[in-house]
Amino acid sequence: MEIITSVKEIQKISFCLRAEKKQIGFVPTMGALHQGHISLIKECKKNNDWTIVSIFVNSIQFNDQNDYKNYPRPLDNDLNICQELQVDTVFAPSLKEMYPEEFLTFVNVEKLSSNLCGEYRPGHFEGVATIVTKLFNITNPHRAYFGAKDYQQTQIIKKLVRDLNFDIEIIVLPTIRDENGLALSSRHKYLSQEEKKQTYVLYKSLKKALSLLDKNIKDPKIIIDQINKIIVKEHLANVEYIKICDPVHLSDLKYISNEALIALAVRFEKARLIDSIIWRKN
Ligand code: AMP
């Protein structure tokens, strides 16, 4: 496995792979790898000749500098995981390598970035769209893999690829959860034992929403109220938002007809967790 830290070098690798007609798969991550990331890497390995995994904690997508500073960076462990999975190339640049001088160019996917997490984390999706654009330009893959856990992010990236004419197939894979239904996240290390026990309400509340919809309860207000009731029973959970949106445009739904995105963000003391689920009429 090669570990590359220079932009120039990874560009050269990608150029040579393409010259050899190799299919390149790309998995962008911020490291602290867990089974969610691993599922993306495995799928990438299955369907491409060459797998590139990037590990880069992208400063410009953090709207809270403490969150950036404290974000876990267990690089050696991440490299071991990549090695075991037989990743071909890890791209792990420094901050200076990615942002060597005053950075003035940003990618903003309008509308899709304004609701849900965008409302509570100003600038976050601009940071995400910008780094993904840079990484796509640098690694020049045929396919890129993302997790449905960050649903809004996947919609933004799909739109960015269409609008900016990237010839890259975006593959979105299901959310990987622990035995209690908690969507795995690199931020779980911030949770205390007691908080961890209480996080199970997130998925429980989403499943409750699905069952209400299956019973033909279609008023978002009623469903949101039910989700909220379940979550606030756990005293360490603070709801940031619970929303029911159109899964494509990410706008709030006033009435649910054929499909809906049910999404939430809940804060525990040091960890902000997000989760979502899609409901579709049978
Ligand atoms: P991150 O390192 O958090 O930026 O995530 C890198 C990629 O892994 C993104 O495409 C995430 O959506 C995906 N990912 C993170 N957690 C999970 C999970 N629990 N299940 C599936 N994919 C995930």
mmCIF file of all heavy atoms in Angstrom, residues 119-164:
data_model
loop_
_atom_site.group_PDB
_atom_site.id
_atom_site.type_symbol
_atom_site.label_atom_id
_atom_site.label_comp_id
_atom_site.label_asym_id
_atom_site.label_seq_id
_atom_site.Cartn_x
_atom_site.Cartn_y
_atom_site.Cartn_z
ATOM 1 N N GLU A 119 -28.614 24.760 7.991
ATOM 2 C CA GLU A 119 -29.192 25.856 8.768
ATOM 3 C C GLU A 119 -28.444 26.035 10.096
ATOM 4 O O GLU A 119 -28.333 27.143 10.607
ATOM 5 C CB GLU A 119 -30.662 25.502 9.025
ATOM 6 C CG GLU A 119 -31.509 26.646 9.448
ATOM 7 C CD GLU A 119 -32.960 26.204 9.659
ATOM 8 O OE1 GLU A 119 -33.463 25.339 8.903
ATOM 9 O OE2 GLU A 119 -33.573 26.733 10.605
ATOM 10 N N TYR A 120 -27.954 24.922 10.625
ATOM 11 C CA TYR A 120 -27.329 24.962 11.956
ATOM 12 C C TYR A 120 -25.804 24.998 11.903
ATOM 13 O O TYR A 120 -25.154 25.250 12.908
ATOM 14 C CB TYR A 120 -27.798 23.744 12.781
ATOM 15 C CG TYR A 120 -29.260 23.829 13.069
ATOM 16 C CD1 TYR A 120 -30.206 23.351 12.148
ATOM 17 C CD2 TYR A 120 -29.721 24.456 14.220
ATOM 18 C CE1 TYR A 120 -31.559 23.467 12.395
ATOM 19 C CE2 TYR A 120 -31.076 24.580 14.477
ATOM 20 C CZ TYR A 120 -31.996 24.083 13.555
ATOM 21 O OH TYR A 120 -33.328 24.212 13.797
ATOM 22 N N ARG A 121 -25.229 24.683 10.721
ATOM 23 C CA ARG A 121 -23.767 24.708 10.588
ATOM 24 C C ARG A 121 -23.403 25.581 9.386
ATOM 25 O O ARG A 121 -23.021 25.066 8.331
ATOM 26 C CB ARG A 121 -23.238 23.281 10.376
ATOM 27 C CG ARG A 121 -23.523 22.345 11.532
ATOM 28 C CD ARG A 121 -22.856 20.999 11.298
ATOM 29 N NE ARG A 121 -21.420 21.073 11.474
ATOM 30 C CZ ARG A 121 -20.577 20.089 11.183
ATOM 31 N NH1 ARG A 121 -21.026 18.960 10.675
ATOM 32 N NH2 ARG A 121 -19.284 20.221 11.385
ATOM 33 N N PRO A 122 -23.520 26.911 9.547
ATOM 34 C CA PRO A 122 -23.262 27.782 8.406
ATOM 35 C C PRO A 122 -21.854 27.556 7.845
ATOM 36 O O PRO A 122 -20.892 27.455 8.600
ATOM 37 C CB PRO A 122 -23.412 29.196 8.985
ATOM 38 C CG PRO A 122 -23.648 29.059 10.441
ATOM 39 C CD PRO A 122 -23.874 27.632 10.777
ATOM 40 N N GLY A 123 -21.774 27.447 6.531
ATOM 41 C CA GLY A 123 -20.472 27.271 5.885
ATOM 42 C C GLY A 123 -20.022 25.828 5.782
ATOM 43 O O GLY A 123 -19.098 25.496 5.036
ATOM 44 N N HIS A 124 -20.686 24.939 6.523
ATOM 45 C CA HIS A 124 -20.243 23.536 6.543
ATOM 46 C C HIS A 124 -20.257 22.906 5.155
ATOM 47 O O HIS A 124 -19.261 22.341 4.701
ATOM 48 C CB HIS A 124 -21.122 22.740 7.514
ATOM 49 C CG HIS A 124 -20.941 21.252 7.403
ATOM 50 N ND1 HIS A 124 -19.751 20.633 7.745
ATOM 51 C CD2 HIS A 124 -21.768 20.266 6.968
ATOM 52 C CE1 HIS A 124 -19.865 19.327 7.527
ATOM 53 N NE2 HIS A 124 -21.069 19.074 7.055
ATOM 54 N N PHE A 125 -21.386 23.014 4.464
ATOM 55 C CA PHE A 125 -21.480 22.318 3.170
ATOM 56 C C PHE A 125 -20.645 22.993 2.089
ATOM 57 O O PHE A 125 -20.230 22.337 1.136
ATOM 58 C CB PHE A 125 -22.939 22.154 2.744
ATOM 59 C CG PHE A 125 -23.647 21.116 3.570
ATOM 60 C CD1 PHE A 125 -24.711 21.441 4.384
ATOM 61 C CD2 PHE A 125 -23.202 19.793 3.551
ATOM 62 C CE1 PHE A 125 -25.331 20.469 5.168
ATOM 63 C CE2 PHE A 125 -23.813 18.818 4.334
ATOM 64 C CZ PHE A 125 -24.880 19.163 5.143
ATOM 65 N N GLU A 126 -20.407 24.276 2.251
ATOM 66 C CA GLU A 126 -19.490 24.946 1.323
ATOM 67 C C GLU A 126 -18.091 24.338 1.498
ATOM 68 O O GLU A 126 -17.394 24.058 0.513
ATOM 69 C CB GLU A 126 -19.465 26.440 1.626
ATOM 70 C CG GLU A 126 -18.718 27.236 0.602
ATOM 71 C CD GLU A 126 -18.824 28.720 0.882
ATOM 72 O OE1 GLU A 126 -18.139 29.204 1.808
ATOM 73 O OE2 GLU A 126 -19.601 29.384 0.185
ATOM 74 N N GLY A 127 -17.710 24.089 2.732
ATOM 75 C CA GLY A 127 -16.417 23.449 3.013
ATOM 76 C C GLY A 127 -16.363 22.045 2.453
ATOM 77 O O GLY A 127 -15.347 21.619 1.876
ATOM 78 N N VAL A 128 -17.476 21.310 2.597
ATOM 79 C CA VAL A 128 -17.535 19.934 2.086
ATOM 80 C C VAL A 128 -17.450 19.944 0.552
ATOM 81 O O VAL A 128 -16.650 19.224 -0.048
ATOM 82 C CB VAL A 128 -18.843 19.228 2.545
ATOM 83 C CG1 VAL A 128 -19.013 17.897 1.825
ATOM 84 C CG2 VAL A 128 -18.850 19.026 4.052
ATOM 85 N N ALA A 129 -18.285 20.772 -0.074
ATOM 86 C CA ALA A 129 -18.328 20.802 -1.545
ATOM 87 C C ALA A 129 -16.970 21.233 -2.103
ATOM 88 O O ALA A 129 -16.520 20.727 -3.134
ATOM 89 C CB ALA A 129 -19.435 21.751 -2.014
ATOM 90 N N THR A 130 -16.312 22.135 -1.412
ATOM 91 C CA THR A 130 -15.007 22.622 -1.884
ATOM 92 C C THR A 130 -13.945 21.525 -1.778
ATOM 93 O O THR A 130 -13.208 21.279 -2.743
ATOM 94 C CB THR A 130 -14.588 23.874 -1.071
ATOM 95 O OG1 THR A 130 -15.617 24.853 -1.215
ATOM 96 C CG2 THR A 130 -13.273 24.443 -1.561
ATOM 97 N N ILE A 131 -13.885 20.843 -0.657
ATOM 98 C CA ILE A 131 -12.842 19.808 -0.517
ATOM 99 C C ILE A 131 -13.133 18.632 -1.455
ATOM 100 O O ILE A 131 -12.219 18.058 -2.047
ATOM 101 C CB ILE A 131 -12.675 19.331 0.955
ATOM 102 C CG1 ILE A 131 -11.415 18.462 1.101
ATOM 103 C CG2 ILE A 131 -13.851 18.528 1.451
ATOM 104 C CD1 ILE A 131 -10.133 19.160 0.855
ATOM 105 N N VAL A 132 -14.414 18.281 -1.610
ATOM 106 C CA VAL A 132 -14.739 17.161 -2.502
ATOM 107 C C VAL A 132 -14.359 17.522 -3.939
ATOM 108 O O VAL A 132 -13.796 16.703 -4.668
ATOM 109 C CB VAL A 132 -16.232 16.757 -2.365
ATOM 110 C CG1 VAL A 132 -16.654 15.804 -3.469
ATOM 111 C CG2 VAL A 132 -16.475 16.107 -1.001
ATOM 112 N N THR A 133 -14.617 18.754 -4.325
ATOM 113 C CA THR A 133 -14.210 19.208 -5.672
ATOM 114 C C THR A 133 -12.698 19.111 -5.830
ATOM 115 O O THR A 133 -12.183 18.606 -6.841
ATOM 116 C CB THR A 133 -14.684 20.662 -5.899
ATOM 117 O OG1 THR A 133 -16.095 20.693 -5.737
ATOM 118 C CG2 THR A 133 -14.327 21.150 -7.287
ATOM 119 N N LYS A 134 -11.978 19.593 -4.836
ATOM 120 C CA LYS A 134 -10.509 19.525 -4.895
ATOM 121 C C LYS A 134 -10.048 18.066 -4.984
ATOM 122 O O LYS A 134 -9.213 17.708 -5.819
ATOM 123 C CB LYS A 134 -9.903 20.168 -3.633
ATOM 124 C CG LYS A 134 -9.763 21.681 -3.721
ATOM 125 C CD LYS A 134 -9.447 22.295 -2.363
ATOM 126 C CE LYS A 134 -8.016 22.135 -1.910
ATOM 127 N NZ LYS A 134 -7.029 22.933 -2.657
ATOM 128 N N LEU A 135 -10.627 17.217 -4.133
ATOM 129 C CA LEU A 135 -10.193 15.805 -4.120
ATOM 130 C C LEU A 135 -10.544 15.103 -5.428
ATOM 131 O O LEU A 135 -9.796 14.247 -5.900
ATOM 132 C CB LEU A 135 -10.801 15.083 -2.917
ATOM 133 C CG LEU A 135 -10.213 15.484 -1.550
ATOM 134 C CD1 LEU A 135 -11.060 14.940 -0.405
ATOM 135 C CD2 LEU A 135 -8.775 14.994 -1.404
ATOM 136 N N PHE A 136 -11.698 15.441 -6.005
ATOM 137 C CA PHE A 136 -12.059 14.852 -7.301
ATOM 138 C C PHE A 136 -11.059 15.291 -8.372
ATOM 139 O O PHE A 136 -10.634 14.507 -9.204
ATOM 140 C CB PHE A 136 -13.478 15.262 -7.717
ATOM 141 C CG PHE A 136 -14.587 14.496 -7.009
ATOM 142 C CD1 PHE A 136 -15.921 14.835 -7.220
ATOM 143 C CD2 PHE A 136 -14.296 13.441 -6.161
ATOM 144 C CE1 PHE A 136 -16.950 14.125 -6.591
ATOM 145 C CE2 PHE A 136 -15.322 12.736 -5.519
ATOM 146 C CZ PHE A 136 -16.648 13.098 -5.737
ATOM 147 N N ASN A 137 -10.705 16.560 -8.359
ATOM 148 C CA ASN A 137 -9.725 17.048 -9.341
ATOM 149 C C ASN A 137 -8.365 16.376 -9.156
ATOM 150 O O ASN A 137 -7.671 16.085 -10.125
ATOM 151 C CB ASN A 137 -9.549 18.570 -9.214
ATOM 152 C CG ASN A 137 -10.665 19.318 -9.914
ATOM 153 O OD1 ASN A 137 -11.166 18.866 -10.949
ATOM 154 N ND2 ASN A 137 -11.069 20.438 -9.366
ATOM 155 N N ILE A 138 -8.005 16.159 -7.912
ATOM 156 C CA ILE A 138 -6.673 15.617 -7.614
ATOM 157 C C ILE A 138 -6.599 14.119 -7.927
ATOM 158 O O ILE A 138 -5.626 13.644 -8.508
ATOM 159 C CB ILE A 138 -6.329 15.874 -6.123
ATOM 160 C CG1 ILE A 138 -6.127 17.379 -5.878
ATOM 161 C CG2 ILE A 138 -5.095 15.088 -5.695
ATOM 162 C CD1 ILE A 138 -6.110 17.764 -4.406
ATOM 163 N N THR A 139 -7.648 13.370 -7.534
ATOM 164 C CA THR A 139 -7.570 11.908 -7.679
ATOM 165 C C THR A 139 -8.178 11.423 -8.996
ATOM 166 O O THR A 139 -7.921 10.295 -9.415
ATOM 167 C CB THR A 139 -8.290 11.189 -6.508
ATOM 168 O OG1 THR A 139 -9.657 11.622 -6.464
ATOM 169 C CG2 THR A 139 -7.625 11.496 -5.172
ATOM 170 N N ASN A 140 -9.012 12.243 -9.591
ATOM 171 C CA ASN A 140 -9.611 11.941 -10.899
ATOM 172 C C ASN A 140 -10.164 10.504 -11.006
ATOM 173 O O ASN A 140 -9.771 9.741 -11.895
ATOM 174 C CB ASN A 140 -8.544 12.195 -11.985
ATOM 175 C CG ASN A 140 -9.167 12.316 -13.359
ATOM 176 O OD1 ASN A 140 -10.387 12.434 -13.493
ATOM 177 N ND2 ASN A 140 -8.345 12.259 -14.396
ATOM 178 N N PRO A 141 -11.089 10.152 -10.097
ATOM 179 C CA PRO A 141 -11.578 8.765 -10.081
ATOM 180 C C PRO A 141 -12.700 8.512 -11.097
ATOM 181 O O PRO A 141 -13.305 9.459 -11.608
ATOM 182 C CB PRO A 141 -12.129 8.621 -8.668
ATOM 183 C CG PRO A 141 -12.637 9.995 -8.353
ATOM 184 C CD PRO A 141 -11.741 10.975 -9.063
ATOM 185 N N HIS A 142 -12.980 7.247 -11.344
ATOM 186 C CA HIS A 142 -14.157 6.878 -12.147
ATOM 187 C C HIS A 142 -15.402 6.811 -11.258
ATOM 188 O O HIS A 142 -16.502 7.087 -11.700
ATOM 189 C CB HIS A 142 -13.947 5.509 -12.816
ATOM 190 C CG HIS A 142 -12.833 5.514 -13.811
ATOM 191 N ND1 HIS A 142 -11.524 5.303 -13.452
ATOM 192 C CD2 HIS A 142 -12.840 5.717 -15.148
ATOM 193 C CE1 HIS A 142 -10.768 5.365 -14.544
ATOM 194 N NE2 HIS A 142 -11.535 5.624 -15.584
ATOM 195 N N ARG A 143 -15.183 6.368 -10.022
ATOM 196 C CA ARG A 143 -16.304 6.211 -9.087
ATOM 197 C C ARG A 143 -15.899 6.753 -7.715
ATOM 198 O O ARG A 143 -14.737 6.604 -7.329
ATOM 199 C CB ARG A 143 -16.647 4.725 -8.897
ATOM 200 C CG ARG A 143 -17.381 4.156 -10.061
ATOM 201 C CD ARG A 143 -17.598 2.647 -9.997
ATOM 202 N NE ARG A 143 -17.688 2.259 -11.396
ATOM 203 C CZ ARG A 143 -16.645 1.908 -12.135
ATOM 204 N NH1 ARG A 143 -15.448 1.780 -11.587
ATOM 205 N NH2 ARG A 143 -16.799 1.643 -13.407
ATOM 206 N N ALA A 144 -16.876 7.329 -6.994
ATOM 207 C CA ALA A 144 -16.589 7.766 -5.624
ATOM 208 C C ALA A 144 -17.709 7.280 -4.708
ATOM 209 O O ALA A 144 -18.876 7.248 -5.106
ATOM 210 C CB ALA A 144 -16.460 9.282 -5.561
ATOM 211 N N TYR A 145 -17.322 6.899 -3.493
ATOM 212 C CA TYR A 145 -18.241 6.212 -2.573
ATOM 213 C C TYR A 145 -18.541 7.067 -1.354
ATOM 214 O O TYR A 145 -17.625 7.585 -0.708
ATOM 215 C CB TYR A 145 -17.614 4.866 -2.153
ATOM 216 C CG TYR A 145 -17.488 3.935 -3.329
ATOM 217 C CD1 TYR A 145 -16.460 4.098 -4.262
ATOM 218 C CD2 TYR A 145 -18.420 2.918 -3.548
ATOM 219 C CE1 TYR A 145 -16.366 3.283 -5.377
ATOM 220 C CE2 TYR A 145 -18.330 2.089 -4.661
ATOM 221 C CZ TYR A 145 -17.304 2.276 -5.569
ATOM 222 O OH TYR A 145 -17.215 1.474 -6.676
ATOM 223 N N PHE A 146 -19.845 7.161 -1.032
ATOM 224 C CA PHE A 146 -20.281 7.971 0.105
ATOM 225 C C PHE A 146 -21.336 7.201 0.909
ATOM 226 O O PHE A 146 -22.003 6.314 0.372
ATOM 227 C CB PHE A 146 -20.884 9.295 -0.383
ATOM 228 C CG PHE A 146 -19.870 10.191 -1.037
ATOM 229 C CD1 PHE A 146 -19.589 10.068 -2.402
ATOM 230 C CD2 PHE A 146 -19.164 11.119 -0.297
ATOM 231 C CE1 PHE A 146 -18.639 10.883 -3.003
ATOM 232 C CE2 PHE A 146 -18.203 11.935 -0.897
ATOM 233 C CZ PHE A 146 -17.945 11.812 -2.247
ATOM 234 N N GLY A 147 -21.498 7.584 2.177
ATOM 235 C CA GLY A 147 -22.452 6.900 3.039
ATOM 236 C C GLY A 147 -23.770 7.655 3.128
ATOM 237 O O GLY A 147 -23.781 8.889 3.224
ATOM 238 N N ALA A 148 -24.869 6.902 3.130
ATOM 239 C CA ALA A 148 -26.205 7.514 3.260
ATOM 240 C C ALA A 148 -26.381 8.156 4.636
ATOM 241 O O ALA A 148 -27.299 8.946 4.839
ATOM 242 C CB ALA A 148 -27.283 6.464 3.034
ATOM 243 N N LYS A 149 -25.501 7.832 5.563
ATOM 244 C CA LYS A 149 -25.610 8.452 6.899
ATOM 245 C C LYS A 149 -25.615 9.971 6.778
ATOM 246 O O LYS A 149 -26.337 10.659 7.501
ATOM 247 C CB LYS A 149 -24.447 8.011 7.771
ATOM 248 C CG LYS A 149 -24.378 8.831 9.015
ATOM 249 C CD LYS A 149 -23.383 8.350 9.981
ATOM 250 C CE LYS A 149 -23.324 9.326 11.115
ATOM 251 N NZ LYS A 149 -22.533 10.502 10.761
ATOM 252 N N ASP A 150 -24.785 10.482 5.867
ATOM 253 C CA ASP A 150 -24.734 11.930 5.644
ATOM 254 C C ASP A 150 -25.577 12.233 4.403
ATOM 255 O O ASP A 150 -25.049 12.570 3.343
ATOM 256 C CB ASP A 150 -23.283 12.366 5.474
ATOM 257 C CG ASP A 150 -22.473 12.050 6.714
ATOM 258 O OD1 ASP A 150 -22.558 12.814 7.668
ATOM 259 O OD2 ASP A 150 -21.784 11.008 6.740
ATOM 260 N N TYR A 151 -26.883 12.051 4.556
ATOM 261 C CA TYR A 151 -27.768 12.073 3.388
ATOM 262 C C TYR A 151 -27.709 13.396 2.636
ATOM 263 O O TYR A 151 -27.616 13.426 1.406
ATOM 264 C CB TYR A 151 -29.220 11.778 3.818
ATOM 265 C CG TYR A 151 -30.140 11.726 2.628
ATOM 266 C CD1 TYR A 151 -30.276 10.547 1.901
ATOM 267 C CD2 TYR A 151 -30.821 12.857 2.177
ATOM 268 C CE1 TYR A 151 -31.075 10.498 0.770
ATOM 269 C CE2 TYR A 151 -31.622 12.821 1.056
ATOM 270 C CZ TYR A 151 -31.740 11.637 0.359
ATOM 271 O OH TYR A 151 -32.520 11.600 -0.760
ATOM 272 N N GLN A 152 -27.754 14.491 3.375
ATOM 273 C CA GLN A 152 -27.745 15.808 2.713
ATOM 274 C C GLN A 152 -26.456 15.980 1.907
ATOM 275 O O GLN A 152 -26.466 16.481 0.782
ATOM 276 C CB GLN A 152 -27.860 16.916 3.774
ATOM 277 C CG GLN A 152 -27.998 18.305 3.185
ATOM 278 C CD GLN A 152 -28.300 19.361 4.238
ATOM 279 O OE1 GLN A 152 -28.127 19.108 5.441
ATOM 280 N NE2 GLN A 152 -28.744 20.518 3.819
ATOM 281 N N GLN A 153 -25.354 15.523 2.498
ATOM 282 C CA GLN A 153 -24.057 15.591 1.803
ATOM 283 C C GLN A 153 -24.102 14.827 0.480
ATOM 284 O O GLN A 153 -23.591 15.290 -0.537
ATOM 285 C CB GLN A 153 -22.989 15.008 2.742
ATOM 286 C CG GLN A 153 -21.631 14.849 2.135
ATOM 287 C CD GLN A 153 -20.606 14.432 3.184
ATOM 288 O OE1 GLN A 153 -20.181 15.232 3.979
ATOM 289 N NE2 GLN A 153 -20.212 13.166 3.186
ATOM 290 N N THR A 154 -24.745 13.663 0.473
ATOM 291 C CA THR A 154 -24.785 12.869 -0.766
ATOM 292 C C THR A 154 -25.580 13.599 -1.850
ATOM 293 O O THR A 154 -25.201 13.570 -3.015
ATOM 294 C CB THR A 154 -25.402 11.465 -0.553
ATOM 295 O OG1 THR A 154 -26.764 11.606 -0.166
ATOM 296 C CG2 THR A 154 -24.643 10.650 0.466
ATOM 297 N N GLN A 155 -26.654 14.278 -1.450
ATOM 298 C CA GLN A 155 -27.455 15.006 -2.444
ATOM 299 C C GLN A 155 -26.660 16.185 -2.999
ATOM 300 O O GLN A 155 -26.716 16.487 -4.190
ATOM 301 C CB GLN A 155 -28.771 15.494 -1.819
ATOM 302 C CG GLN A 155 -29.746 14.398 -1.470
ATOM 303 C CD GLN A 155 -30.060 13.512 -2.667
ATOM 304 O OE1 GLN A 155 -29.612 12.383 -2.767
ATOM 305 N NE2 GLN A 155 -30.821 14.029 -3.607
ATOM 306 N N ILE A 156 -25.937 16.843 -2.120
ATOM 307 C CA ILE A 156 -25.124 18.004 -2.531
ATOM 308 C C ILE A 156 -24.024 17.543 -3.486
ATOM 309 O O ILE A 156 -23.773 18.173 -4.519
ATOM 310 C CB ILE A 156 -24.553 18.710 -1.274
ATOM 311 C CG1 ILE A 156 -25.693 19.433 -0.552
ATOM 312 C CG2 ILE A 156 -23.401 19.645 -1.615
ATOM 313 C CD1 ILE A 156 -25.349 19.963 0.815
ATOM 314 N N ILE A 157 -23.399 16.429 -3.182
ATOM 315 C CA ILE A 157 -22.299 15.957 -4.040
ATOM 316 C C ILE A 157 -22.825 15.484 -5.397
ATOM 317 O O ILE A 157 -22.230 15.768 -6.439
ATOM 318 C CB ILE A 157 -21.474 14.884 -3.306
ATOM 319 C CG1 ILE A 157 -20.681 15.577 -2.199
ATOM 320 C CG2 ILE A 157 -20.531 14.140 -4.260
ATOM 321 C CD1 ILE A 157 -20.145 14.693 -1.148
ATOM 322 N N LYS A 158 -23.962 14.810 -5.391
ATOM 323 C CA LYS A 158 -24.546 14.386 -6.681
ATOM 324 C C LYS A 158 -24.838 15.608 -7.559
ATOM 325 O O LYS A 158 -24.620 15.585 -8.764
ATOM 326 C CB LYS A 158 -25.846 13.609 -6.449
ATOM 327 C CG LYS A 158 -25.624 12.166 -5.996
ATOM 328 C CD LYS A 158 -26.975 11.509 -5.835
ATOM 329 C CE LYS A 158 -26.883 10.120 -5.308
ATOM 330 N NZ LYS A 158 -28.213 9.583 -4.960
ATOM 331 N N LYS A 159 -25.344 16.657 -6.942
ATOM 332 C CA LYS A 159 -25.693 17.868 -7.706
ATOM 333 C C LYS A 159 -24.429 18.561 -8.206
ATOM 334 O O LYS A 159 -24.358 18.998 -9.374
ATOM 335 C CB LYS A 159 -26.517 18.792 -6.802
ATOM 336 C CG LYS A 159 -27.023 20.032 -7.489
ATOM 337 C CD LYS A 159 -28.192 19.712 -8.418
ATOM 338 C CE LYS A 159 -28.759 20.958 -9.065
ATOM 339 N NZ LYS A 159 -28.625 20.904 -10.529
ATOM 340 N N LEU A 160 -23.450 18.623 -7.356
ATOM 341 C CA LEU A 160 -22.159 19.249 -7.711
ATOM 342 C C LEU A 160 -21.539 18.545 -8.926
ATOM 343 O O LEU A 160 -21.054 19.180 -9.857
ATOM 344 C CB LEU A 160 -21.275 19.132 -6.475
ATOM 345 C CG LEU A 160 -19.812 19.483 -6.369
ATOM 346 C CD1 LEU A 160 -19.467 19.576 -4.898
ATOM 347 C CD2 LEU A 160 -18.887 18.534 -7.037
ATOM 348 N N VAL A 161 -21.611 17.221 -8.911
ATOM 349 C CA VAL A 161 -21.044 16.425 -10.008
ATOM 350 C C VAL A 161 -21.780 16.721 -11.318
ATOM 351 O O VAL A 161 -21.159 16.862 -12.369
ATOM 352 C CB VAL A 161 -21.095 14.922 -9.628
ATOM 353 C CG1 VAL A 161 -20.959 14.024 -10.837
ATOM 354 C CG2 VAL A 161 -20.005 14.612 -8.619
ATOM 355 N N ARG A 162 -23.109 16.850 -11.220
ATOM 356 C CA ARG A 162 -23.879 17.157 -12.435
ATOM 357 C C ARG A 162 -23.596 18.581 -12.904
ATOM 358 O O ARG A 162 -23.314 18.819 -14.069
ATOM 359 C CB ARG A 162 -25.384 16.999 -12.180
ATOM 360 C CG ARG A 162 -25.840 15.560 -12.033
ATOM 361 C CD ARG A 162 -27.361 15.438 -12.236
ATOM 362 N NE ARG A 162 -28.143 16.228 -11.303
ATOM 363 C CZ ARG A 162 -28.473 15.852 -10.081
ATOM 364 N NH1 ARG A 162 -28.073 14.678 -9.621
ATOM 365 N NH2 ARG A 162 -29.194 16.626 -9.294
ATOM 366 N N ASP A 163 -23.657 19.522 -11.964
ATOM 367 C CA ASP A 163 -23.532 20.938 -12.347
ATOM 368 C C ASP A 163 -22.142 21.264 -12.889
ATOM 369 O O ASP A 163 -21.998 22.097 -13.777
ATOM 370 C CB ASP A 163 -23.825 21.852 -11.145
ATOM 371 C CG ASP A 163 -25.320 21.929 -10.837
ATOM 372 O OD1 ASP A 163 -26.110 21.340 -11.603
ATOM 373 O OD2 ASP A 163 -25.690 22.568 -9.837
ATOM 374 N N LEU A 164 -21.116 20.635 -12.323
ATOM 375 C CA LEU A 164 -19.743 20.970 -12.731
ATOM 376 C C LEU A 164 -19.169 19.952 -13.728
ATOM 377 O O LEU A 164 -17.969 19.970 -14.003
ATOM 378 C CB LEU A 164 -18.828 21.099 -11.503
ATOM 379 C CG LEU A 164 -19.214 22.184 -10.488
ATOM 380 C CD1 LEU A 164 -18.192 22.264 -9.361
ATOM 381 C CD2 LEU A 164 -19.352 23.549 -11.157
#
